[in-house]
């Protein structure tokens, strides 16, 4: 029987009603007298620091825990091209966020390297100033694109890789993609200077926990930072159960038993990964315990969906539409006001209040909102 986290969830809203409320909210904020840009803090005192931008809702993988094939099949209705924010629109919104405190931008998706000419977007974002500009990818197209991305101004890259065992990896990406090609992509990114390179491994019980130690052994000493992510209840299609989560503490114990670890301080307040280094030197590893040790209290991330909605939580049911304002020709000041109002009013803390019935809440899919 599934284990349950026994807390109450007070947020199961009616989706259409919430959408209408959010629309009215951004429109009212956009019409207010202009507030000067500057760093923002939300209703729980959390600063705005990171912006994740989903540049496409499509992916060339069908990872079983993210975009399962039986849902994301040939009948699935991905966003039509006209619904996507253009690069100019994305860069304009990103600038408004940077003016209000964002210092780190991550491109994601879907698979961001599938968006045609994504290098041009990277170039536009790199011009926004002194920001950490990075991208999360499944690595399939990275060998081909790493050097161009670096030339365009990308600073770092995170590659998702769930196993070094070819059969396990092919089963998890569910499109029979070989692990060797992702490793080629990682090498190409390192050679292009996209460093420090991070490797993310989602751990799902019964699927790839036996890959934890081989992954740790492989990346130790490479300079790449390996991070283990607990399988999360994002979206509504991945059949999440608490029993499938391998707790971060168990992952740390498994590695520590063979390769002793020492805890390392976070790089900055709000860093999602808990950091560890090997006692005898070598590179570090991290664990992202989004389920067993919720970090809502320090969450500083906003998300911009492929079609231009701002989400203030990965587990939200709906976002705040900025595309409407952009396409109506509203000024930067008006849209900036909307951004400020959304962040100032943010009170989400989903992971701290998740319950047994939350998997049934109509949350948006990670491929659309951006992982
Ligand atoms: N396609 C890109 C990639 O594979 O990295 C970017 C998008 S993907 C949604 C971003 C990250 O989210 C990946 O590392 C993926 O493994 C992770 N992810 C997706 N679904 C997840 C889930 N249910 N729990 C934990 N991590 C998940």
């Amino acid at each position: 029987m599934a284990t349950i986290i026994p807390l109450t969830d007070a947020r199961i809203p009616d989706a259409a009603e919430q959408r209408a409320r959010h629309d009215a909210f951004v429109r009212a904020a956009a019409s207010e007298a202009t507030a000067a840009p500057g760093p923002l803090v939300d209703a729980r005192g959390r600063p705005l620091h990171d912006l994740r931008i989903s540049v496409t809702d499509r992916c060339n993988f069908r990872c079983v825990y993210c975009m399962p094939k039986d849902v994301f099949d040939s009948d699935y209705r991905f966003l039509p091209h006209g619904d996507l924010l253009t690069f100019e629109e994305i860069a304009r919104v990103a600038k408004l966020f940077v003016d209000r405190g964002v210092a780190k931008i991550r491109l994601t998706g879907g698979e961001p390297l599938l968006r045609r000419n994504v290098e041009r977007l990277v170039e536009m974002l790199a011009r926004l100033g002194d920001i950490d500009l990075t991208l999360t990818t499944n690595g399939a197209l990275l060998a081909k694109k790493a050097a161009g991305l670096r030339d365009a101004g990308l600073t770092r890259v995170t590659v998702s890789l769930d196993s070094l065992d070819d059969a396990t990896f092919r089963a998890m990406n569910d499109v029979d993609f070989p692990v060797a090609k992702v490793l080629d992509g990682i090498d190409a990114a390192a050679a292009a200077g996209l460093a420090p390179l991070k490797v993310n491994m989602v751990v799902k019980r019964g699927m790839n926990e036996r890959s934890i130690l081989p992954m740790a052994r492989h990346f130790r000493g490479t300079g790449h930072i390996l991070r283990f992510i607990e399988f999360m209840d994002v979206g509504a299609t991945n059949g999440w159960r608490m029993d499938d989560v391998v707790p971060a503490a168990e992952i740390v114990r498994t590695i520590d038993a063979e390769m002793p670890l020492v805890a390392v301080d976070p790089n900055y307040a709000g860093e999602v990964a808990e950091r560890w280094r090997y006692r005898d030197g070598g590179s570090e590893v991290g664990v992202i315990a989004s389920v067993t040790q919720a970090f809502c209290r320090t969450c500083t991330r906003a998300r911009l969906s492929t079609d231009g909605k701002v989400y203030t939580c990965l587990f939200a049911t709906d976002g705040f539409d900025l595309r409407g304002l952009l396409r109506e020709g509203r000024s930067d000041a008006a849209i900036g006001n909307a951004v400020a109002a959304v962040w100032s009013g943010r009170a989400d803390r989903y992971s701290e209040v998740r319950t047994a019935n939350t998997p049934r809440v109509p949350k948006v899919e990670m491929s659309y909102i951006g992982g």
Side-chain angles (χ1 to χ4, degrees), residues 53-56 81 84-95 107-108 112-125 127-128 145 149 304 306 326-327:
I53 304 175
S54 175
V55 295
T56 175
H81 197 259
L84 273 55
L85 288 192
T86 64
F87 289 166
E88 286 69 23
E89 289 170 333
I90 294 174
R92 186 170 166 211
V93 171
K95 162 113 177 55
L107 299 184
T108 177
L113 300 189
L114 286 184
R115 179 85 186 246
R116 193 177 304 163
N117 300 324
V118 70
E119 299 81 355
R120 197 165 71 76
L121 175 64
V122 169
E123 221 171 81
M124 293 162 80
L125 296 175
R127 276 190 235 120
L128 294 182
K145 289 190 165 264
L149 288 164
L304 182 64
T306 317
L326 288 163
R327 295 190 180 173

Side-chain angles (χ1 to χ4, degrees), residues 194-251:
L194 292 166
L197 190 144
K198 291 181 182 161
V199 177
N200 279 355
M201 169 177 169
V202 174
V203 186
K204 187 170 177 206
R205 177 87 67 202
M207 201 147 233
N208 65 338
E209 75 256 55
R210 271 184 301 184
S211 299
I212 294 171
L213 278 171
M215 285 281 284
R217 291 182 199 122
H218 180 87
F219 287 105
R220 184 182 180 196
T222 57
H224 307 332
I225 301 168
L226 174 61
R227 290 145 16 127
F228 299 92
I229 306 179
E230 288 179 351
F231 172 47
M232 290 185 284
D233 51 327
V234 279
T237 56
N238 69 6
W240 184 87
R241 299 178 323 139
M242 187 66 198
D243 284 0
D244 295 332
V245 177
V246 180
E250 182 181 326
I251 296 170

Side-chain angles (χ1 to χ4, degrees), residues 37-113:
L40 300 173
V41 173
D42 77 5
R44 296 186 189 278
R46 298 167 295 190
L48 171 63
H49 179 268
D50 309 58
L51 178 64
R52 298 199 173 180
I53 304 175
S54 175
V55 295
T56 175
D57 59 339
R58 291 163 198 258
C59 191
N60 42 358
F61 283 13
R62 285 292 176 272
C63 296
V64 290
Y65 57 79
C66 185
M67 294 180 75
K69 238 179 196 169
D70 51 349
V71 176
F72 295 88
D73 57 12
S74 54
D75 292 332
Y76 185 82
R77 294 202 353 239
F78 289 99
L79 291 170
H81 197 259
D83 281 7
L84 273 55
L85 288 192
T86 64
F87 289 166
E88 286 69 23
E89 289 170 333
I90 294 174
R92 186 170 166 211
V93 171
K95 162 113 177 55
L96 297 174
F97 273 89
V98 169
D99 289 345
R100 286 160 184 78
V102 161
K104 178 173 170 185
I105 294 182
R106 176 179 298 282
L107 299 184
T108 177
E111 171 48 42
L113 300 189

